[in-house]
Amino acid sequence: MFVSGLATNQDVNIHYLDTLREADHRLTPIVICPGLSEAAEEYEDLLSYLLPRRAIVLSFRGRGRSDTPRAKYDLEDHVSDLSAVIQETAIGSFHLFGNSRGVSYALGYAQKNAKQIKSLIVEDYPAEHKQMTAEWADDYINQYLIPTGRNKLIRQQAVKGIQRDSTPIKLDGKLELPALVIRGLLEGSLLSEADVLQYGDMFTTVKVEAFADSGHNIRNMERDKLYLTIKQFLDEQEG
């Protein structure tokens, strides 16, 4: 079902999955930016769910089957990974979806390429690129990645590169796009009321969907509702 490909970003190979072969090309495709430690393969069920709409998901540098460079893990480097996949897959207009830290990468791309994008979906993350603290990498690796087995999906070199290279950037420039803002309501959500209001100021129209039984990890807690919400929003944009 999936085309598995590599896009070359200078000397870094970026892996992606694409439902090109099964897609109805009358529908606008969607490009998916996973969260910080996520790999493309974790979105296979969503890609299948969204058929016959074409969907493309990438593993950013240091994750999944993508290369792990020694340096260059700031916002612009991740945005360039996304750009390479968009160029490699030769899509024109598309919807763009970012989950968690992937929201930063999606917004970073959208700020410079809004004319390509039909709509934007942001899941539980504010309109900014955050700088990580000096203690973050070791804590993230030892207290989260290793205990959960997610160290198989993101290399420690990438985690330490993100800590070393990330700079804080506001990504709240106005975008003439419709947007879907997805947020959890329980403890652990990374999207505050103020963040939601900020999104309201950024986009031409904003639809907010709250998930009462989720904190930050909405896909694990309310997957069926999440996927239906995304699909219905995309279908509405085709009208």
Side-chain angles (χ1 to χ4, degrees):
M1 180 182 298
F2 306 112
V3 173
S4 176
L6 292 174
T8 301
N9 180 11
Q10 297 182 5
D11 58 348
V12 180
N13 290 316
I14 302 300
H15 178 247
Y16 65 90
L17 297 175
D18 185 352
T19 56
L20 172 66
R21 293 176 185 148
E22 306 289 331
D24 180 345
H25 297 283
R26 294 171 294 182
L27 299 173
T28 305
I30 180 171
V31 178
I32 300 169
C33 299
L36 193 148
S37 69
E38 293 181 325
E41 288 77 9
E42 295 185 272
Y43 285 79
E44 287 182 358
D45 62 335
L46 178 57
L47 267 60
S48 298
Y49 182 86
L50 293 175
L51 282 169
R53 185 183 303 280
R54 183 182 180 187
I56 299 162
V57 60
L58 69 150
S59 292
F60 285 101
R61 55 187 55 213
R63 288 83 148 180
R65 293 162 62 187
S66 293
D67 288 348
T68 306
R70 292 183 177 275
K72 297 187 176 180
Y73 286 92
D74 205 354
L75 175 63
E76 63 184 19
D77 305 306
H78 288 86
V79 170
S80 69
D81 292 344
L82 177 57
S83 298
V85 170
I86 289 168
Q87 183 174 354
E88 178 69 22
T89 53
I91 56 174
S93 177
F94 55 91
H95 304 282
L96 186 58
F97 168 38
N99 174 43
S100 190
R101 183 78 166 187
V103 170
S104 297
Y105 310 146
L107 287 174
Y109 183 89
Q111 294 288 349
K112 296 182 179 180
N113 302 277
K115 290 182 179 179
Q116 283 183 278
I117 301 169
K118 189 163 185 178
S119 76
L120 197 58
I121 302 173
V122 297
E123 184 178 337
D124 209 66
Y125 206 79
E128 62 179 301
H129 183 253
K130 297 181 180 181
Q131 184 175 34
M132 304 314 207
T133 66
E135 301 78 20
W136 172 79
D138 286 340
D139 183 67
Y140 191 71
I141 291 166
N142 295 313
Q143 302 302 320
Y144 176 61
L145 294 180
I146 292 175
T148 60
R150 297 195 64 80
N151 55 315
K152 299 173 184 176
L153 302 173
I154 180 170
R155 265 71 74 191
Q156 293 190 21
Q157 185 170 322
V159 176
K160 292 178 180 180
I162 290 168
Q163 178 191 40
R164 180 189 63 243
D165 298 341
S166 292
T167 52
I169 302 172
K170 289 291 186 182
L171 297 167
D172 54 357
K174 293 190 180 299
L175 293 166
E176 294 185 4
L177 296 168
L180 170 63
V181 176
I182 297 167
R183 63 178 305 210
L185 294 182
L186 298 183
E187 183 179 355
S189 172
L190 299 183
L191 202 57
S192 69
E193 290 289 346
D195 296 327
V196 174
L197 291 173
Q198 184 176 62
Y199 278 127
D201 292 335
M202 286 175 57
F203 296 101
T204 51
T205 61
V206 175
K207 181 177 183 179
V208 179
E209 287 288 344
F211 288 72
D213 296 326
S214 300
H216 182 59
N217 198 339
I218 298 170
R219 192 151 56 97
N220 277 1
M221 300 303 297
E222 297 180 80
R223 183 175 307 231
D224 290 347
K225 180 184 174 183
L226 173 65
Y227 286 8
L228 179 61
T229 298
I230 293 169
K231 184 179 186 302
Q232 287 178 338
F233 176 77
L234 294 173
D235 291 344
E236 288 169 4
Q237 307 313 308
E238 298 292 334

